[in-house]
Amino acid sequence: MTEMADQTAPTLDAITIGRSCVDLYSDQIGCRMEDTRSFSKYVGGCPTNIAVGAARLGLKVAVISRVGDDQLGRFVRETLDAEGVSTEALGSDPKRLTAMAFLGIEDDRSFPLLFARTDCADAALCEDDIDPGFIARARAVVVTGTHFSKPHLAAASHKAMAAARAAGRKVVFDIDYRPNLWGLAGAGEGDIRFVSDSAVTARVQEILPHCDVVVGTDEEVSIAGGAGDTREALRAIRARTDALIVLKTGPKGCLVFPGPIPEDLEDGVSSEGFPVEVFNVLGAGDGFMAGFLRGYLRDLPLEECCRIANACGALAVSRHGCAPSYPTWEELQVFFERGIVTPRLREDDWLEHVHWTTTRGPQWNDVCALAADHRVQLEAMADEAGVPRARISAFKSLCLDALLAARRDGVTLGTLLDSRYGRDALFRAEREGVWIGRPVEVPTSRPLRFEGLPSLGAELQSWPPDHVVKCLVYHNANDPEEMRRTQMDQLHRLASAARKARLEFLVEVIGTDRNAGETATADALRQIYAEGIRPDWWKLPDQTTRGWHAIEQVVRTEDPWCRGVLLLGLDAPIEVMEESLSRAAASPVVRGFAVGRTVFAAAARDWLAGTISDDEARRRLTTRFARLVDIWVEARQARAVA
């Protein structure tokens, strides 16, 4: 009996079935979609959104759907993989394109929605895509109303429901009523929420007897119950199913009816809603459903299921996008603990920081980076050798060759490259999938100034999403007030621009006070944190053991989600770097190193002067960089043993 129980025990919490598309969200707020100039790209579709939201809350979730064998389909798949959603049942359709939806925020009541779904991949889902054995692996299957709008889609969802019930699993039904996807409104009328139709009501009522949970808004309950009065519609639903009925009531939260529908609907099970300012209602219901599933599938009291769902909905309506707006479980606990600091949740800096840091992706460890973003130093070498500065670009490509030659298991290769001389190397580094940092500061500027466009934010909008914004600031905690204020204002610009572009950023801090004590760098970091500036990464010079301990205390106190510290080299001899790396590796906040001139200075001078070949330069660069990697790996292993 024990062996059989182990074989049949669910390994997934939920499987969602239905739409998987790309959401293209208007970046311009407060205008018609006709006037939108640019869009941000996210995953979308009701069941896909639910899956992302549930995964962020700690549930094990899979999606059954289809995407095209195209760039957008790969984007959906890779995004779901990164979110921890299983894609083993997400098919790639070679004949159809991935569906798209265009969404806008015209004002606080109008949210234009345009579906581009003509013969799309997810609308081709059929019974053959449903494996009863796979369905049985989940505690619940979540079906969504839109995928009952066509006979072949309905057949697939009914097959999944039957398989779930045969395996003793739960069936959760999100009514998800989109009139124009049922052919009841024009192709351009995706934002119409309700059209009464007896045929749709009859189709939905066929589903109800086979459900354990039914979830919908007032409009969705009305179409399911075939009545305009909400209570009458609920009673009609109850006449056809014993399911738990969840009525989403917008800002008030929800009402849950486990039994008969009471005379006063307020007598249903509920918890208080969260009074927040509505920024965007699109996708909020999917976030709500994810939250309800987190409680329901963990057998929590209904009041707690409602509280989690209401909070997820409140956070969703406060942000741009659907799936990207949903909270992680860690973020939700912070929200519950702090409460509503401001009704405009997207302006709660700490909450937004927690949201960013807990959704940005997995932790990078053992980053071994070859820093080749140097400009003035290499320009001086080229001038000294009497060669055109354009030659620097070719040398940076040799540095990338050396980096890639050092690949090994358990090490994250990285590079720092600029776009002035490292453009070609940047393109290649992106294809190779290494960790990439790019500088934005004017070299040696103090106070800090930025390169590129006058608007740093505009500059960063063109960067790939995995590039880390790197900024070197020469800063001491005891700088004069005018200097300190100017530097901090610039760092605020950096932080704001990076977050707006959804990019991680790294601050490299080098002190100029030679008489500063062992904790001077920690003091400088504390001062930056006090400004509300929280870099994803720090890049710092060598410290004493006491100095590293002080830095560790500051980082862990001020930002426990910080990625960590990379050690810089400052052209130190490789023998000195060996000691520095060993000392840094002992600190748990140090994640690796980003060293440049220690590796390339001598080779650069000789290569620019024409005294060594490309092959000899690569050999010397590779040898020196690989030695640093070996030192780091050995130091980390020694720390693990200790």
Side-chain angles (χ1 to χ4, degrees):
M1 290 296 292
T2 302
E3 182 179 351
M4 182 173 293
D6 289 342
Q7 290 176 347
T8 59
T11 57
L12 293 167
D13 289 300
I15 295 172
T16 67
I17 302 173
R19 289 185 287 134
S20 283
C21 70
V22 169
D23 279 355
L24 295 168
Y25 252 91
S26 172
D27 291 323
Q28 288 72 52
I29 309 301
C31 66
R32 305 179 310 156
M33 195 180 291
E34 291 90 332
D35 301 318
T36 294
R37 297 189 306 275
S38 62
F39 296 85
S40 290
K41 175 165 60 76
Y42 309 127
V43 297
C46 173
T48 304
N49 287 337
I50 293 169
V52 170
R56 287 186 172 186
L57 295 174
L59 296 183
K60 295 180 179 179
V61 194
V63 168
I64 297 178
S65 187
R66 286 193 196 182
V67 292
D69 186 14
D70 52 39
Q71 293 89 339
L72 295 183
R74 287 187 285 277
F75 163 73
V76 172
R77 185 179 302 279
E78 291 168 12
T79 301
L80 292 178
D81 287 339
E83 292 282 359
V85 176
S86 171
T87 57
E88 61 180 292
L90 180 65
S92 290
D93 192 322
K95 298 180 180 179
R96 299 171 180 85
L97 296 176
T98 304
M100 294 184 290
F102 294 82
L103 309 96
I105 304 174
E106 193 167 310
D107 54 38
D108 58 2
R109 293 177 301 278
S110 181
F111 305 93
L113 177 56
L114 179 66
F115 293 106
R117 297 182 52 80
T118 302
D119 195 28
C120 62
D122 67 10
L125 199 73
C126 67
E127 287 185 82
D128 291 342
D129 293 303
I130 307 300
D131 175 6
F134 183 66
I135 296 293
R137 288 167 51 187
R139 294 188 64 195
V141 62
V142 180
V143 293
T144 53
T146 299
H147 262 230
F148 290 89
S149 61
K150 305 292 182 184
H152 65 285
L153 297 175
S157 291
H158 278 298
K159 180 179 178 181
M161 295 168 67
R165 295 188 73 81
R169 310 308 187 211
K170 300 292 185 182
V171 175
V172 179
F173 176 38
D174 189 321
I175 300 171
D176 178 39
Y177 182 44
R178 299 289 184 183
N180 79 323
L181 297 184
W182 285 82
L184 302 178
E189 297 178 312
D191 55 337
I192 291 180
R193 295 286 179 163
F194 184 75
V195 174
S196 178
D197 187 89
S198 59
V200 173
T201 295
R203 296 273 290 279
V204 173
Q205 289 185 351
E206 293 175 358
I207 303 165
L208 298 176
H210 311 291
C211 301
D212 297 285
V213 181
V214 176
V215 181
T217 61
D218 280 320
E219 296 91 346
E220 291 166 341
V221 163
S222 291
I223 196 67
D229 178 76
T230 301
R231 184 175 181 278
E232 184 181 343
L234 287 167
R235 287 172 60 86
I237 292 172
R238 176 56 73 224
R240 290 165 177 79
T241 182
D242 294 328
L244 185 73
I245 303 174
V246 182
L247 173 65
K248 295 182 285 188
T249 56
K252 295 180 180 179
C254 64
L255 294 167
V256 180
F257 306 100
I261 306 303
E263 291 295 326
D264 185 350
L265 295 184
E266 296 299 324
D267 290 335
V269 178
S270 67
S271 69
E272 291 186 11
F274 295 88
V276 301
E277 181 186 275
V278 174
F279 178 68
N280 169 38
V281 301
L282 299 171
D286 303 336
F288 172 97
M289 174 65 99
F292 194 86
L293 286 173
R294 176 58 167 82
Y296 178 72
L297 296 177
R298 289 290 185 268
D299 301 317
L300 298 181
L302 288 177
E303 292 82 359
E304 183 63 10
C305 296
C306 293
R307 187 172 83 111
I308 296 170
N310 291 343
C312 290
L315 288 161
V317 301
S318 302
R319 294 170 174 152
H320 195 262
C322 297
S325 70
Y326 302 154
T328 61
W329 186 249
E330 193 170 9
E331 176 189 350
L332 205 59
Q333 304 318 300
V334 171
F335 179 61
F336 286 147
E337 181 181 344
R338 296 174 76 242
I340 298 174
V341 175
T342 170
R344 307 182 99 187
L345 295 184
R346 65 191 178 281
E347 295 181 1
D348 182 338
D349 289 342
W350 182 247
L351 187 64
E352 286 300 287
H353 178 65
V354 177
H355 178 72
W356 165 260
T357 56
T358 57
T359 60
R360 66 190 165 190
Q363 177 67 51
W364 298 83
N365 289 307
D366 295 315
V367 177
C368 296
L370 177 52
D373 59 325
H374 302 70
R375 286 143 286 166
V376 295
Q377 297 92 337
L378 287 168
E379 286 172 347
M381 292 180 190
D383 293 346
E384 182 182 347
V387 298
R389 290 181 174 181
R391 289 271 288 159
I392 297 172
S393 296
F395 182 74
K396 296 201 175 194
S397 291
L398 296 178
C399 288
L400 183 59
D401 291 342
L403 172 74
L404 298 176
R407 283 192 191 275
R408 66 191 68 187
D409 292 338
V411 168
T412 300
L413 291 182
T415 184
L416 296 180
L417 282 168
D418 60 292
S419 54
R420 186 192 304 176
Y421 297 114
R423 187 169 180 268
D424 291 343
L426 271 172
F427 290 155
R428 189 153 60 99
E430 175 68 21
R431 292 192 297 271
E432 291 289 346
V434 301
W435 184 95
I436 298 172
R438 289 174 62 178
V440 292
E441 78 281 352
V442 172
T444 72
S445 60
R446 176 169 155 86
L448 174 64
R449 290 183 293 122
F450 298 120
E451 283 193 324
L453 298 175
S455 168
L456 182 61
E459 174 78 20
L460 298 185
Q461 286 295 332
S462 67
W463 285 24
D466 58 338
H467 287 198
V468 177
V469 186
K470 172 258 177 183
C471 179
L472 165 59
V473 58
Y474 295 97
H475 172 62
N476 311 288
N478 59 356
D479 280 339
E481 175 61 21
E482 183 178 357
M483 171 66 74
R484 186 188 69 82
R485 187 67 266 152
T486 301
Q487 301 258 74
M488 293 303 166
D489 288 346
Q490 290 291 75
L491 288 178
H492 274 295
R493 283 186 60 203
L494 170 73
S496 176
R499 287 293 174 266
K500 185 67 176 176
R502 302 199 299 275
L503 296 170
E504 296 184 24
F505 73 100
L506 174 154
V507 175
E508 178 177 355
V509 179
I510 297 179
T512 59
D513 183 357
R514 295 186 178 182
N515 297 318
E518 290 180 277
T519 63
T521 301
D523 294 338
L525 267 56
R526 186 180 291 106
Q527 197 171 78
I528 294 171
Y529 276 129
E531 290 281 332
I533 300 164
R534 305 180 186 93
D536 300 272
W537 298 88
W538 296 100
K539 184 166 177 260
L540 304 175
D542 186 25
Q543 306 287 319
T544 64
T545 299
R546 182 184 173 211
W548 281 125
H549 180 71
I551 289 168
E552 177 187 345
Q553 293 299 109
V554 171
V555 171
R556 287 189 164 177
T557 299
E558 300 293 340
D559 183 8
W561 295 279
C562 178
R563 291 285 200 193
V565 177
L566 298 182
L567 176 70
L568 59 88
L570 290 177
D571 201 16
I574 203 162
E575 295 76 18
V576 173
M577 281 305 305
E578 183 169 359
E579 297 177 6
S580 300
L581 285 167
S582 298
R583 193 160 43 245
S587 173
V589 299
V590 180
R591 302 293 182 186
F593 64 84
V595 174
R597 284 173 293 168
T598 299
V599 175
F600 72 67
R605 289 190 182 92
D606 291 345
W607 183 85
L608 288 167
T611 60
I612 62 172
S613 65
D614 289 359
D615 288 342
E616 176 60 16
R618 287 191 194 93
R619 187 194 67 77
R620 287 166 60 173
L621 291 166
T622 301
T623 299
R624 292 179 73 82
F625 182 70
R627 182 176 173 189
L628 292 182
V629 175
D630 289 339
I631 294 168
W632 174 260
V633 170
E634 291 168 5
R636 274 304 207 203
Q637 291 173 343
R639 175 176 175 264
V641 172

